[in-house]
Amino acid sequence: MTQTLDKPTDQRFTHSGINWQQFRFIQAGFKNSPGIRLFYYKGEVEILAVSQDHEVFSRTIAGLLFDYFVEKGIEFYPTGSFTQEKEGVASAQADESYCIGSLKKIPDLSIEVVFTSGTVSKLKRYQELGVAEVWFWEDGLFTLHHLRVNGYERIYASEVLPDLDIDLLTRCLLMASRVEAVREFRRAISQGQ
């Protein structure tokens, strides 16, 4: 059974003309604020307060991917929403991020749950940081982007996790029951579907 999605909204504030030192002060001010994500790209700061629905999808994606990695025997390091930075240029906190094979400074995969706009600017930040692949979960669908020499290219199957069935992951995320979603996902990946 799939659920009807009422589009929740996260609270989003952006401001331009902020230098790196000012951004650092803003970061310090939000240091102990759960549910707040901070982003910076070339003078623009974005402060995002995430909704409960945002966190439900983010954590469910993480849980399903955890099962996938274990079932497929893929060594992985879940780095969550740790801050990825390039001093003075860009700072991002993905909802979920993963290093595949070994722990690295920059993850191989960053995932964003989007209830507000801004995917193009988010891709610019991740490009500056050098994240190989970025996924956006928005309006009940994944869009995947892989970093090429000239920027991100929209792709339809993950190159970081080439055997992952994105349609299966999407179907399971849209199921009304999280228990049934996990059971269906585990059943399908164990049978190689």
Side-chain angles (χ1 to χ4, degrees):
M1 178 177 171
T2 56
Q3 63 187 20
T4 305
L5 295 176
D6 293 325
K7 189 163 183 173
T9 56
D10 295 330
Q11 300 291 320
R12 182 176 180 241
F13 170 79
T14 59
H15 188 75
S16 298
I18 304 292
N19 67 37
W20 187 254
Q21 184 178 15
Q22 291 167 324
F23 173 68
R24 288 297 211 192
F25 286 128
I26 294 168
Q27 263 185 326
F30 284 101
K31 184 178 179 181
N32 296 315
S33 300
I36 300 293
R37 304 276 194 279
L38 296 172
F39 305 91
Y40 180 88
Y41 180 67
K42 295 186 177 180
E44 181 177 275
V45 67
E46 177 183 348
I47 302 170
L48 180 67
V50 297
S51 66
Q52 183 180 34
D53 287 330
H54 182 283
E55 293 298 276
V56 166
F57 280 107
S58 177
R59 297 301 178 256
T60 304
I61 291 167
L64 294 175
L65 285 179
F66 191 95
D67 283 354
Y68 176 79
F69 290 129
V70 171
E71 179 66 29
K72 298 298 182 181
I74 299 169
E75 194 60 54
F76 71 104
Y77 295 84
T79 52
S81 61
F82 91 102
T83 302
Q84 307 164 38
E85 289 186 334
K86 184 174 183 181
E87 183 80 23
V89 179
S91 178
Q93 292 176 299
D95 294 305
E96 303 298 333
S97 60
Y98 300 90
C99 294
I100 310 300
S102 63
L103 190 59
K104 306 166 188 86
K105 184 177 178 183
I106 298 298
D108 299 295
L109 172 62
S110 288
I111 303 170
E112 294 245 1
V113 174
V114 180
F115 288 128
T116 58
S117 61
T119 56
V120 172
S121 65
K122 291 175 188 284
L123 280 175
K124 288 179 183 176
R125 287 190 290 252
Y126 287 116
Q127 181 176 344
E128 198 68 52
L129 296 166
V131 176
E133 201 162 283
V134 180
W135 300 357
F136 294 104
W137 171 257
E138 183 174 15
D139 295 332
L141 296 170
F142 277 106
T143 56
L144 287 63
H145 306 268
H146 197 86
L147 187 58
R148 306 285 188 225
V149 173
N150 295 322
Y152 283 100
E153 176 186 335
R154 172 80 161 83
I155 57 174
Y156 296 91
S158 175
E159 294 180 21
V160 171
L161 300 173
D163 295 329
L164 177 64
D165 182 342
I166 295 296
D167 292 333
L168 169 67
L169 183 59
T170 299
R171 280 194 318 275
C172 291
L173 282 169
L174 293 174
M175 294 176 78
S177 166
R178 297 295 163 207
V179 171
E180 290 305 315
V182 171
R183 286 180 180 155
E184 173 60 19
F185 190 75
R186 286 178 177 171
R187 183 197 61 75
I189 61 175
S190 70
Q191 294 176 358
Q193 297 175 344

